[in-house]
Every structure is written in structure tokens, then in C-alpha cells.
Amino acid sequence: MPASGIDKVANARNQPTRTSVLVVDDEPAFQETVARYLTAYRRLSAYNGWQAKELLKKHHVDVIILDLNLPDTTGLKLLNEIRAERDDVEVIIITSHSELKNAVTCVKAGAFDFLAKSYENYQQIATHVERALEHRRRRRLEILNRAEDNLRESIELLERTRSPEMAEINRILRQIAPTRLNVLIEGESGVGKELLARYIHLHSGDRSANAFVPVNVGAMPPNLIESTLFGHEKGAFTGADRQRLGKFELADGGTLFLDEIGELEPAAQVKLLRVLQEREVERIGAAEAAPVDVRVIAATNKNLESEVIAGRFREDLWYRLNVVRLPVPPLRRRKADIPGLVALLADRHARSMARQAPTFTEEALRALTAYSWPGNVRELENLVMRMIALHPGAPIRMVDIPAEYCVDELSNMAVWSASRERTTTEKSTYAMACAQFEYYFVRHMVERCNGNKAEAARRLGVSYATVKNKMDVRDTSWLDEDEIRAAADAGPPTGINSK
Amino acid sequence: MKRAEQREVISERTSIGNDMQFVRKDGPAVRVRQYVIEGDRGVRYAAELIANEAGVERAVVDAASLEELAMLIEPAARAFSLSVRLRRRTQDAGAPPVAP
């Protein structure tokens, strides 16, 4: 019996091709015949079940062509053993015993295809291998992309931007999306870094047909990061009872989004660097690296340059991520986007919650625009969802919005109103602004409580008398909210009291 | 990060071809130097991008072949230049884009 081995069908540069095919058959004549039609692949040969299992342990294999009759085992038994441990390999059964019963049994056991040994099938073997690879790709996609329904809608959020900075980011993204350049997205939590990554993936040409795999590095326990990203072999460590594909292999042909990359452990940084440099990934415990074609989009809310200087992030990895580094501005620096975002989010979440989409009044939108949004788009989204749940279909007024989101607008009103008063000193302007803010805030709270001052006092943690006093303090010369807004729209304060 | 490791990687580099300079109207000029790197795992190719605008910015692009590198250099230099300019504008605008 010939010894098993690797028949390296290398290209002219002596570089191995990407796809590996393991042919398991005890007939040398069959091996030779099939080899003629598999020249486009890296081919491995096994003449019995034991050799096949050894090769699977040592080498990266994409497709197995398996005979049902083997000297030391049956093809079906071997298929069951492979399926129990691995889900990244497609198996094509090829046999001279091509009864329907065998075919059904093998397909039920997890074989991709069942072929009779015939000259026609030998000629078509490469086509069957390609179909198996396509099937594997679709299977991975099906698992990974179940939650992709809202993707195209989310892209609208980005394209509706009125911020010059975001428009510039859009322009850069459109230029680099079809290339395989790595991208680093910087920005505070909740600014939509993953959305940008998905946007790049969606516009990345052929790559967009493959998987987009998001991984939050910061949310993973440090001891699981390597295993999750790079996968592991069976028995690589205690508890590794079966082989597991890493995220890189799941994203093969597509895009891997590494969120919070600044949290990556030094050991994992080395491995990531190797993937970026050499485009191959080594599972923990594997004897051989597997080639991967993955575009990496990383994101961070840290200053990675400082991390490099502090020695916590590898400089060579940093240079590879620094090719396209995009700073996403926080929502407070692109307030012109807020009304559009509110409308889109309201529409989207109302549909998903089977409610009627609410409209936001102008004063409500003013309040939301004035707010600083430390939690960025995520915080805005949460508030919109809350409003849909509490006020389905109704117009959302400023009084419907929780007070903490209105503080900025109320203080703006107070400052604006105070600045219009004919005052002589800064001290009196300050006192007036404070008094007016208290008035507007207390009145807002009373309105939220449907005019119930006792309830407003309870919520504010003050006495009923305080609420009453703050509301009574209003001078007749003070502008009411509508007048302030009309004046604000008209132009800057002139310092002349209009009332 | 081990500084010794970095020096070792740099010392393996062998420059190929002449430096290229991409001059852009909407971003800083980018100087590109190509390298062929021979290591234990075979030959690979890389290009170093350097932009000099209010400080030196550096980036590295890897490729499996010289042809792929040639295809990547132009879009990489363009995107690198644009993103450097965007970051400068963001910094000029005031608030830092990321948490300190």
C-alpha cells in the first residue's frame, strides 16, 4: 500500500493553493485518476481511515472525498467520526456501491454529496468540490447573517448625515470599501462604529457576499480570546472536546470586525499581526496554519497611539491598522443629524415593535438636539424606543421626554431669556438665569405631572411650597417658551427686552 | 511590546524599487517605500506609507505578491492621505475624537 502524503499541487511560484482536498480511498488507481482532475487544489491522499484521521489532525482540509469501503473502517463510520468533531469540512462520498439506501444514510450522517464511481463523475469531481465549498460558505453565512435584516436600513442612518465630518468619512469609506485595506474606526461608545464597519462590508464588492463577523474583544474573558478568534483543535486544552472554528475562519472571504481592539491581550496581538501579515491562521493546538482571506476592520474607544507609547499595544500591529484610521465624531458634534436619526429610528423600531411610529414635535426635537448625548446614538435609540413604548402613535411633546434630556434646552432658554434682559451687571444676569432655569425646569416637571404640583414636588425631592414659589417667581417681563424660540430663530440677542 | 522584536523585523526588510511620492490636493503627500521580506514562512511584500503633516504618520500595507502590492499601493496612499487630513481637521475642530 502506498504511503499517505501530501501531493502539493503548487502553482508556478511554489505557493500552495488555498483549498485543500483530502482523498480517502484504498485504490491507488482511483487516487491517480482523481488527482488529474484536482490539479487546482492542494491534494492530500489517505489510503485508510487511520491515515485520514492523522492527516485531518495535522493539516487544514476543506473538502474530503471519501470512499465507503476502507480497509480498516467503513466510510460511513469515518464520516460519523468526522462530523462528531468537525463542522468545517465538507464530505463527498464516492463509491461503487451507489445504492439509494447508502446515499440516504450518508446524507443523513452529514455528507454533502453522494457519487457513484464513474468516469463522468471523475471528470466532474472539481465541480463537485466547488459546489461543496459553496455549500459550506452558504452554511456559514446562514448562521452568521440571521440578524442582518436591519442592515440596509441602518446604512440610511449614515447616508442621511448632515455633518461635514461624517460626509467626509462617507466619502473615504466609499473609496476604500472595494479594496482589502484594513480599517481602524475610532470613536466613543455608541457612535455607530459597527454600523460603519457593516457599511464598508456592504460596499466591498464580492466580499460583501460573504460573512460579516463582529467580535467584541472587550466583552470576552482574556483566556477565551485566542480560542474564539483563532479556533482550537480537539484536545488542545482541557475542555476542548471537539474542534472549533475561530472567528477568522468563519469570516473567510468576508470581513471580521474587531471591536475594542485596544483590549486585545499581547499574545493575541502577536497572532493577529501574523494573520494580517501572512494571511493564515493557526488554531490552538494545530500543527499547520490554515490560509484565510479576511479583511479586518478594528474599532476602539481608546487612544491607541497612547497605548503604543505606553507599550500596551504592538507598534507593528498599530502600523497595519493605521492605513485608514477614521475618527467618528460623537453625536454632540453632529447635532444637525439628530432630527433625521430620530425619525428613522422611530420608524424602524415602531415597525419592529408592531406599533405606530410616533412623531416628535418641534419643541421635543429642540430638546433632543440641545442634549449632549454622552451615550451617543445608542442612547438616542434607547430613548426613542422608550417613547414608542410609552406613547405609541401619539405626537411626542417636550413634556413627554424625561426631564434629564430637557435640561440643556431649558438652560438654553433661561440663558437666552436672561441675556435679553436689560441688566447692568454680570451678577444680576447670573441671578436671573438661575431663577429662570428653576422656573422653566419646575414648570416642565409640573407639566409632565399633568399640572399636579404635589407629584412634581415629590419627583423633584422638594416641598410643595418650593414648587409653588419657583413657579410664582416668574416676572411678567420673562418670555414664555414659544417667544424665546421665536426670538432664538430670529437671531442673536440684542440685549433689548422685547416685552 | 518588545522593542527588540521590532528592530529584528525592520532589519529583515529589503527595499525594492525607488520610493514613490503621491501628491494629493485634498490631503498630505504620501511617500511609499516597498519592501520584500524573506522570513521562515516564505516571501511576502509590504509597503510603508509615510505622511508628513504636523508630525509624521506611518502605516504599513502587506501583500502576498508584488502584483497585489502594486494594486494596493495607490488606493492605500489615497485613503491614508485622506484619513490623515480628516484627523487633522477633527483635532483642529477642538474636542478629541476618542476618550483619553
Side-chain angles (χ1 to χ4, degrees):
Chain A
M1 180 190 299
S4 71
I6 310 165
D7 181 6
K8 286 187 180 174
V9 184
N11 60 17
R13 293 183 179 178
N14 206 26
Q15 289 173 342
T17 51
R18 286 189 64 241
T19 305
S20 295
V21 179
L22 170 62
V23 183
V24 189
D25 196 299
D26 58 338
E27 295 174 29
F30 173 81
Q31 293 271 9
E32 283 169 23
T33 309
V34 167
R36 267 185 254 145
Y37 299 103
L38 293 176
T39 51
Y41 307 101
R42 178 187 188 229
R43 190 172 60 81
L44 298 99
S45 305
Y47 294 86
N48 55 47
W50 178 82
Q51 285 179 353
K53 284 189 273 187
E54 286 300 304
L55 284 172
L56 277 170
K57 279 182 200 165
K58 289 177 187 162
H59 299 283
H60 171 80
V61 174
D62 297 292
V63 178
I64 301 173
I65 296 171
L66 177 61
D67 185 16
L68 273 187
N69 292 324
L70 296 169
D72 57 346
T73 184
T74 67
L76 185 60
K77 200 174 167 190
L78 185 59
L79 171 65
N80 283 323
E81 286 176 34
I82 292 167
R83 275 285 163 260
E85 291 181 11
R86 303 179 64 134
D87 52 11
D88 64 327
V89 181
E90 292 298 336
V91 181
I92 298 170
I93 301 288
I94 190 157
T95 179
S96 43
H97 305 280
S98 56
E99 292 89 10
L100 183 63
K101 188 182 158 193
N102 284 342
V104 171
T105 311
C106 289
V107 171
K108 276 187 178 174
F112 164 70
D113 211 346
F114 186 92
L115 305 173
K117 280 188 175 174
S118 68
Y119 185 64
E120 290 76 22
N121 279 336
Y122 295 162
Q123 282 182 311
Q124 295 295 317
I125 198 75
T127 312
H128 291 290
V129 168
E130 283 303 317
R131 280 176 49 204
L133 290 169
E134 177 64 15
H135 177 257
R136 185 178 67 163
R137 192 179 66 78
R138 285 183 185 281
R139 198 156 50 91
R140 287 179 182 179
L141 266 181
E142 202 179 309
I143 297 164
L144 292 163
N145 290 355
R146 272 177 199 150
E148 297 281 307
D149 293 346
N150 286 329
L151 178 58
R152 282 174 196 278
E153 260 182 23
S154 303
I155 297 305
E156 277 183 54
L157 293 177
L158 193 63
E159 292 181 338
R160 281 190 183 192
T161 185
R162 290 182 179 181
S163 147
E165 281 175 28
M166 285 306 291
E168 178 67 11
I169 287 175
N170 263 351
R171 192 164 76 90
I172 297 174
L173 291 185
R174 282 190 173 278
Q175 286 188 12
I176 54 106
T179 70
R180 60 156 299 146
L181 294 170
N182 300 322
V183 181
L184 176 64
I185 303 170
E186 294 177 327
E188 294 177 7
S189 285
V191 291
K193 297 189 285 289
E194 183 171 338
L195 179 68
L196 287 180
R198 286 175 185 274
Y199 183 84
I200 296 169
H201 177 70
L202 197 71
H203 291 86
S204 61
D206 294 345
R207 194 172 289 278
S208 65
N210 294 316
F212 174 87
V213 182
V215 183
N216 189 336
V217 177
M220 280 192 286
N223 55 339
L224 286 182
I225 287 178
E226 273 193 67
S227 163
T228 308
L229 288 180
F230 307 106
H232 62 74
E233 294 292 340
K234 182 184 177 187
F237 48 82
T238 310
D241 55 348
R242 58 172 293 168
Q243 182 210 52
R244 183 181 165 183
L245 287 183
K247 298 289 184 185
F248 270 98
E249 285 179 273
L250 285 171
D252 195 14
T255 305
L256 181 68
F257 175 60
L258 294 174
D259 200 1
E260 297 188 39
I261 194 156
E263 306 297 326
L264 205 60
E265 294 286 307
Q269 287 179 28
V270 177
K271 279 197 153 188
L272 174 59
L273 176 67
R274 185 174 162 196
V275 177
L276 296 182
Q277 283 180 331
E278 296 170 24
R279 293 182 201 169
E280 54 183 30
V281 62
E282 198 170 298
R283 292 182 201 137
I284 299 171
E288 193 178 61
V292 286
D293 171 23
V294 176
R295 177 195 217 153
V296 172
I297 301 176
T300 181
N301 58 6
K302 282 185 171 181
N303 188 334
L304 275 193
E305 265 179 306
S306 307
E307 294 293 299
V308 172
I309 292 164
R312 289 189 290 269
F313 199 82
R314 288 185 69 97
E315 195 174 5
D316 38 13
L317 178 57
W318 160 247
Y319 287 144
R320 277 154 181 94
L321 297 173
N322 192 35
V323 182
V324 186
R325 180 157 59 102
L326 302 171
V328 186
L331 195 53
R332 65 179 170 279
R333 282 180 46 205
R334 45 186 174 116
K335 290 190 167 182
D337 283 348
I338 290 175
L341 281 169
V342 168
L344 196 72
L345 290 169
D347 187 50
R348 184 168 116 195
H349 288 295
R351 261 189 286 130
S352 68
M353 293 160 80
R355 304 265 177 118
Q356 196 182 340
T359 54
F360 285 73
T361 63
E362 200 178 323
E363 56 161 9
L365 286 176
R366 276 178 190 275
L368 297 182
T369 307
Y371 183 60
S372 57
W373 299 107
N376 291 296
V377 182
R378 193 176 292 135
E379 188 182 3
L380 177 65
E381 191 168 15
N382 288 340
L383 178 73
V384 170
M385 287 168 74
R386 213 161 125 191
M387 292 295 102
I388 295 167
L390 293 174
H391 309 280
I396 308 291
R397 301 161 301 160
M398 188 167 153
V399 292
D400 299 323
I401 296 170
E404 63 266 30
Y405 294 99
C406 302
V407 171
D408 291 318
E409 170 67 353
L410 294 171
S411 62
N412 284 348
M413 283 162 55
V415 170
W416 178 269
S417 183
S419 68
R420 292 179 69 87
E421 299 292 332
R422 192 188 295 276
T423 53
T424 51
T425 63
E426 288 177 342
K427 187 179 170 184
S428 58
T429 307
Y430 168 71
M432 189 171 293
C434 289
Q436 292 199 14
F437 174 74
E438 284 184 327
Y439 163 72
Y440 289 127
F441 195 89
V442 170
R443 199 182 74 172
H444 174 77
M445 190 51 80
V446 171
E447 282 177 18
R448 273 183 68 77
C449 300
N450 299 317
N452 187 338
K453 289 180 186 153
E455 173 63 12
R458 193 188 64 75
R459 288 199 197 178
L460 291 171
V462 296
S463 67
Y464 178 85
T466 305
V467 168
K468 202 163 176 307
N469 288 341
K470 297 293 179 194
M471 291 192 71
D472 289 344
V473 82
R474 183 177 192 266
D475 190 278
T476 50
S477 67
W478 292 5
L479 303 178
D480 67 23
E481 283 147 309
D482 291 338
E483 288 169 321
I484 290 170
R485 286 180 189 125
D489 287 342
T494 59
I496 299 167
N497 190 353
S498 60
K499 198 160 185 175
Chain B
M1 181 174 48
K2 294 175 184 172
R3 299 278 169 183
E5 280 179 33
Q6 290 167 29
R7 279 196 293 274
E8 190 183 341
V9 171
I10 291 165
S11 69
E12 282 176 12
R13 289 172 173 178
T14 310
S15 177
I16 50 171
N18 296 323
D19 283 10
M20 289 185 282
Q21 181 99 349
F22 290 83
V23 180
R24 300 195 54 80
K25 64 177 180 185
D26 48 1
V30 176
R31 199 171 79 238
V32 179
R33 182 171 290 173
Q34 298 176 66
Y35 295 96
V36 56
I37 301 159
E38 290 182 37
D40 298 340
R41 300 175 186 281
V43 180
R44 57 191 179 79
Y45 302 84
E48 186 178 32
L49 315 176
I50 300 168
N52 203 333
E53 188 180 79
V56 176
E57 290 261 4
R58 199 184 298 267
V60 175
V61 178
D62 293 292
S65 68
L66 205 54
E67 291 77 15
E68 190 192 358
L69 190 66
M71 281 174 63
L72 276 175
I73 281 177
E74 203 278 331
R78 186 174 64 221
F80 183 59
S81 173
L82 287 171
S83 57
V84 168
R85 173 59 55 89
L86 177 68
R87 288 199 301 278
R88 294 284 173 240
R89 276 191 204 147
T90 308
Q91 284 166 8
D92 293 344
V98 292

